[in-house]
Amino acid sequence: MAATTAGHKAELTRLDREIGDGDHGENLARGFHAVLAKLAGTEPATPGAVLQLVATTLISTVGGASGPLLGTAFLRAGSSLGGATEIDGPMVATALEAARDGVVARGKAEPGDKTMVDALAPAAAAARAAADGGADLVGVLAAASEAATAGAAATSPLQARKGRASYLGERSVGHVDPGARSTAFLLESLARRAAE
Ligand code: ADP
Ligand code: MG
Ligand code: MG
């Protein structure tokens, strides 16, 4: 995720310049770089504890609207895993549903409001469907990643109803939401790493 946000920093910043304040790439790259530094100095005992560390680090370093929202997503995903030391497909689906519910509870955006929820909600739904169909961890993440990428692209014709982009009203139409795009990048990097 750190490599992905660093690699796509310019693209995310460009998207945020179009309908926001142009800091989304910088915000995320800074946050996930800080996560790497934190992880280098400690060895969390469980995947849930890793996600919790990611959450607190993002909350204290990303800032803006996306910091607390992404932090909540990772916090809820981490809690949903409890003390488990191994993760399977259904647990990933549960974690993504928990992340989505956390972001919706915190930011009050619904699908169609042109936010990161438009990537996260379809990702959680696709993950659940894949898990119910018997997909393993790699399959569930691949389904989530694909749905998030499609969901992010589908934000372009929408008018923003939450966040900074909503100030633009109709002028927000015709641009992909940066937070939806970054959410898709994050899930894509997870899916790719799981498949390796
Ligand atoms: P800021 O807008 O404060 O500069 P960022 O640029 O880092 O913060 O993040 C902007 C992204 O945050 C948006 O593209 C959108 O996806 C997401 N966002 C903003 N408000 C909300 C909200 N209420 N619910 C969900 N996501 C939101
Ligand atoms: Mg911004
Ligand atoms: Mg900002």
Side-chain angles (χ1 to χ4, degrees):
M1 286 182 169
T4 292
T5 49
H8 293 287
K9 185 165 81 170
E11 178 183 347
L12 294 173
T13 286
R14 179 180 58 75
L15 292 177
D16 195 33
R17 211 180 282 130
E18 288 170 5
I19 57 170
D21 57 356
D23 62 358
H24 191 59
E26 201 63 56
N27 289 346
L28 289 194
R30 183 177 59 247
F32 283 96
H33 181 78
V35 165
L36 274 190
K38 272 270 179 66
L39 283 172
T42 173
E43 263 180 58
T46 60
V50 172
L51 294 182
Q52 191 163 21
L53 184 76
V54 174
T56 53
T57 307
L58 292 181
I59 289 169
S60 62
T61 56
V62 173
S66 63
L69 290 167
L70 276 177
T72 300
F74 279 91
L75 206 57
R76 295 282 190 100
S79 307
S80 85
L81 298 178
T85 53
E86 300 267 332
I87 301 171
D88 60 15
M91 289 165 79
V92 169
T94 301
L96 284 171
E97 288 170 342
R100 173 204 61 202
D101 292 347
V103 170
V104 168
R106 177 126 202 184
K108 309 276 181 279
E110 294 294 330
D113 286 349
K114 198 179 180 103
T115 70
M116 63 175 73
V117 172
D118 290 312
L120 195 50
R128 176 57 63 200
D132 286 351
D136 63 2
L137 176 98
V138 173
V140 168
L141 281 171
S145 165
E146 255 177 58
T149 301
T155 61
S156 183
L158 301 175
Q159 179 171 332
R161 285 193 289 255
K162 281 282 183 295
R164 224 171 253 289
S166 67
Y167 309 156
L168 293 178
E170 282 175 12
R171 279 183 293 138
S172 65
V173 171
H175 305 275
V176 168
D177 176 65
R181 193 72 196 88
S182 62
T183 298
F185 279 140
L186 293 175
L187 285 168
E188 190 185 33
S189 69
L190 253 191
R192 198 182 325 114
R193 180 51 75 90
E196 278 169 13

